[in-house]
């Protein structure tokens, strides 16, 4: 098809905003970006999709999320509110992931994927945990992704907090799924895999060694690092070194490894991350909610660390993550000059798309150009000031919102059109998830009564 009558935002290295241009899609990819009259003359019989003057952008990317967190929405935590990060883990996340079974794992993935489609997030890096349903859990999420049409990286969170047997089960689940992806290249490249680890504070030396030995060649880890200072103090207590130093010692770092958060790393740890060519994802909404602080993003960028933007299981409204990032660092530093909008777009667009290229072999997204995948959104935004390549980040920060997204497409397949989900029965998916919720919450609450 030819996508006509739109205002193209290419997000090339030298970003262009093109009026009077169109793009052609074939075989799941963008084949041409040309002036509209030229393209129609070249392909006069091609089907056309009329953008009706809307913005045409590449789909958004989320570099770190948790589909399983869907059942935390509206959940009441028994007793006093958690007073710190470790209490949040102990009172909310660890009992919740133990409450998940096969049906609720699938349902939590389904509703998260619908949320992503509705809000224009076309590629996501999921980090899964369900300690009482490990074997085959990634297959269940894979089936949800398959039905949704989205592009997703999957991993299972290995941890020692539930004993060695479950840690070993998590290792096996990662290896099994990575080998499946490696062998089958499933869904024409819409699925990728990483080796999930929870965090240093719940991983023993023995388990880290086993994970390093088990990971297939050319794959990397996806792990939380120094989200709170508890991770650092635990590492110092265990082995006399800080978290990043410890992970480096055990061979966890590398050019395929995704480091989530890195809030409490020191200067030497940043240097180690840069030297090992790791990817660091920033999740400001989560950091604010957990009151753990803010990563030294501007310093890391100056050091050459590859910084990306995720949401840590918050809603897949990635422009909300942009806005939080832009505002939170100003408040954190009490300085309105901090966190330039260009740095936010660098993380969310340019670095996120490089992460996809690193983790999905042969796939290029996050850009409108010939050869890139046709992962595209339409946005019904009518600017009342000039919209230019140089000020686009500020239009996103102060003007655009996800309710303006009218169409979501992945690999040239329309997943939402005119704000209607076309790939899934949205009402049924939500109703099914809601029906399961009381059981999940009951299993969650029961853990506090024993």
């Amino acid at each position: 098809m030819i996508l006509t009558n739109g205002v193209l935002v290419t997000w090339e290295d030298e970003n262009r905003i093109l009026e009077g241009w169109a793009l052609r899609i074939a075989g799941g990819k963008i084949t041409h970006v040309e002036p509209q009259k030229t393209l129609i003359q070249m392909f006069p019989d091609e089907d056309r999709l009329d953008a009706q003057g809307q913005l045409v952008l590449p789909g958004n990317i989320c570099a770190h999320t948790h589909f399983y967190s869907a059942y935390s929405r509206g959940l009441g935590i028994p007793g006093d509110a958690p007073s710190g990060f470790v209490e949040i883990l102990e009172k909310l996340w660890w009992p919740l992931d133990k409450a998940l079974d096969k049906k609720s794992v699938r349902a939590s993935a389904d509703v998260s994927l619908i949320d992503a489609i509705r809000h224009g997030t076309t590629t996501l890096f999921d980090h899964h945990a369900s300690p009482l349903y490990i074997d085959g859990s990634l297959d269940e999420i894979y089936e949800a992704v398959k039905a949704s049409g989205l592009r997703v990286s999957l991993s299972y969170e290995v941890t020692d907090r539930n004993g060695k047997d479950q840690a070993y089960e998590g290792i096996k689940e990662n290896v099994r799924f990575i080998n499946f992806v490696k062998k089958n290249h499933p869904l024409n490249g819409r699925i990728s895999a990483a080796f999930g680890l929870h965090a240093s504070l719940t991983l023993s030396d023995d388990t880290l060694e086993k994970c390093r030995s088990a990971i297939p060649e050319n794959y990397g880890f996806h792990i939380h690092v120094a989200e709170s200072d508890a991770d650092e103090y635990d590492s110092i207590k265990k082995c006399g070194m800080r978290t990043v130093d410890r992970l480096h010692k055990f061979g966890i770092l590398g050019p395929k490894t995704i480091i989530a958060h890195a809030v409490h790393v020191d200067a030497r740890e940043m240097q180690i991350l840069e030297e090992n060519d790791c990817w660091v994802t920033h999740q400001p909404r989560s950091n604010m909610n957990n009151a753990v602080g803010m990563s030294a993003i501007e310093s890391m960028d100056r050091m050459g660390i590859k910084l990306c933007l995720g949401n840590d299981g918050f809603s897949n409204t990635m422009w909300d993550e942009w806005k939080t990032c832009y505002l939170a660092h100003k408040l954190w530093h009490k300085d309105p000059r901090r966190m330039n909008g260009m740095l936010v777009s660098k993380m969310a667009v340019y670095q996120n798309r490089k992460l996809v290229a690193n983790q999905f072999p042969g796939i290029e997204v996050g850009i409108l150009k010939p050869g890139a995948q046709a992962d595209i959104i339409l946005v019904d935004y009518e600017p009342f000031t000039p919209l230019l390549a140089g000020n686009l980040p500020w239009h996103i920060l102060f003007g655009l919102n996800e309710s303006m997204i009218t169409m979501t497409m992945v690999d040239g397949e329309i997943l939402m059109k005119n704000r209607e989900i076309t790939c899934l029965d949205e009402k049924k998916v939500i109703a099914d998830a809601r029906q399961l919720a009381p059981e999940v919450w009951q299993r969650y609450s029961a853990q506090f009564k024993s």
Side-chain angles (χ1 to χ4, degrees):
M1 72 178 77
I2 297 175
L3 203 164
T4 61
N5 300 323
V7 178
L8 307 188
V9 178
T10 66
W11 278 128
E12 298 162 292
D13 289 344
E14 292 292 332
N15 189 25
R16 294 186 292 167
I17 296 179
L18 305 173
E19 297 190 48
W21 286 54
L23 56 83
R24 178 178 180 267
I25 298 164
K29 294 187 176 184
I30 299 168
T31 64
H32 297 73
V33 179
E34 302 282 350
Q36 184 163 304
K37 290 181 180 179
T38 302
L39 203 51
I40 290 174
Q41 289 174 356
M42 293 170 65
F43 301 96
D45 299 324
E46 202 90 341
D47 291 339
R48 298 179 195 174
L49 177 64
D50 189 348
Q52 300 178 331
Q54 297 179 86
L55 298 184
V56 181
L57 293 97
N60 289 320
I61 299 164
C62 174
H64 174 72
T65 193
H66 301 284
F67 295 158
Y68 79 86
S69 70
Y71 278 115
S72 68
R73 186 172 294 185
L75 174 64
I77 300 174
D80 295 336
S83 61
F85 179 69
V86 174
E87 273 197 67
I88 292 172
L89 296 176
E90 293 172 343
K91 287 189 171 185
L92 175 59
W93 297 116
W94 293 348
L96 178 60
D97 66 31
K98 281 185 179 180
L100 299 174
D101 59 8
K102 182 176 182 178
K103 287 183 179 180
S104 49
V105 165
R106 173 61 187 265
S108 62
D110 283 336
V111 295
S112 296
L113 293 162
I114 278 183
D115 181 68
I117 293 167
R118 181 158 295 288
H119 298 121
T121 301
T122 53
T123 302
L124 305 102
F125 289 77
D126 186 52
H127 193 270
H128 178 64
S130 53
L132 301 185
Y133 171 54
I134 299 174
D135 183 23
S137 60
L138 295 184
D139 287 346
E140 202 65 26
I141 302 171
Y142 165 78
E143 290 299 324
V145 174
K146 183 178 179 180
S148 75
L150 290 171
R151 193 179 311 281
V152 180
S153 169
L154 299 179
S155 62
Y156 185 85
E157 171 194 289
V158 175
T159 179
D160 283 307
R161 67 178 180 266
N162 302 304
K164 289 294 181 184
D165 289 344
Q166 283 195 5
Y168 183 58
E169 288 267 333
I171 292 171
K172 287 196 300 181
E173 180 66 1
N174 278 304
V175 172
R176 183 193 63 78
F177 192 76
I178 286 173
N179 284 330
F180 165 71
V181 171
K182 188 176 182 180
K183 181 179 179 181
N184 296 286
H185 196 61
L187 307 186
N188 296 318
R190 283 201 294 109
I191 286 285
S192 183
F195 196 117
L197 302 174
H198 174 243
S200 173
L201 83 165
T202 68
L203 291 162
S204 66
D205 289 359
D206 179 61
T207 297
L208 285 175
E209 287 179 352
K210 283 183 168 61
C211 292
R212 177 64 263 175
S213 298
I215 189 170
E217 190 176 358
N218 296 323
Y219 282 82
F221 295 95
H222 188 163
I223 179 173
H224 304 95
V225 173
E227 184 173 359
S228 101
D229 56 6
D231 200 21
E232 293 287 10
Y233 287 118
D234 176 84
S235 180
I236 292 168
K237 182 178 179 179
K238 279 177 181 171
C239 54
M241 60 180 67
R242 292 178 68 88
T243 304
V244 172
D245 301 68
R246 180 177 185 236
L247 296 177
H248 183 40
K249 172 187 174 183
F250 284 96
I252 303 302
L253 308 181
K256 292 282 187 179
T257 290
I258 300 170
I259 301 294
H261 301 295
V263 175
H264 291 274
V265 293
D266 70 7
R268 175 56 185 149
E269 287 177 291
M270 293 183 204
Q271 188 178 29
I272 294 170
L273 292 173
E274 190 279 329
E275 290 169 354
N276 284 272
D277 207 20
C278 297
W279 303 85
V280 173
T281 73
H282 183 40
Q283 291 72 225
R285 282 187 292 177
S286 172
N287 295 162
M288 290 173 63
N289 185 54
N290 292 328
V292 294
M294 285 281 129
S295 309
I297 292 302
E298 292 152 307
S299 295
M300 291 189 199
D301 179 63
R302 278 174 49 79
M303 292 180 71
I305 292 173
K306 298 179 298 189
L307 294 167
C308 301
L309 198 66
N311 65 28
D312 206 26
F314 269 67
S315 59
N316 290 304
T317 52
M318 289 306 295
W319 290 333
D320 281 344
E321 209 71 47
W322 283 51
K323 295 168 188 181
T324 305
C325 183
Y326 184 72
L327 298 173
H329 285 269
K330 297 178 187 301
L331 180 62
W332 180 253
H333 295 287
K334 299 181 181 179
D335 186 344
R337 296 167 293 188
R338 302 298 291 267
M339 191 50 64
N340 188 288
M342 287 296 187
L343 177 52
V344 179
S345 66
K346 178 181 178 180
M347 290 189 289
V349 177
Y350 296 102
Q351 292 296 100
N352 272 9
R353 83 163 177 236
K354 289 177 182 177
L355 175 63
V356 175
N358 180 272
Q359 302 278 329
F360 291 77
I363 299 295
E364 186 173 22
V365 299
I367 187 171
L368 301 184
K369 73 169 191 177
Q373 303 299 128
D375 293 9
I376 297 169
I377 59 176
L378 296 185
V379 185
D380 188 12
Y381 177 62
E382 191 68 44
F384 49 79
T385 60
L387 177 64
L388 310 168
N391 70 11
L392 177 61
W394 287 268
H395 274 275
I396 293 174
L397 290 166
F398 294 104
L400 273 69
N401 64 68
E402 285 80 3
S403 68
M404 298 173 180
I405 296 170
T406 65
M407 188 211 74
T408 301
M409 171 191 293
V410 173
D411 279 350
E413 297 292 328
I414 295 174
L415 310 182
M416 180 177 74
K417 187 174 183 179
N418 297 326
R419 296 188 173 89
E420 293 291 328
I421 304 287
T422 58
C423 56
L424 295 167
D425 185 338
E426 182 178 13
K427 288 185 178 180
K428 183 180 185 303
V429 166
I430 292 173
D432 289 348
R434 187 166 54 240
Q435 187 175 15
L436 290 172
E439 299 174 14
V440 175
W441 285 7
Q442 186 177 27
R443 291 194 294 268
Y444 165 85
S445 298
Q447 296 174 64
F448 295 92
K449 297 174 184 178
S450 57

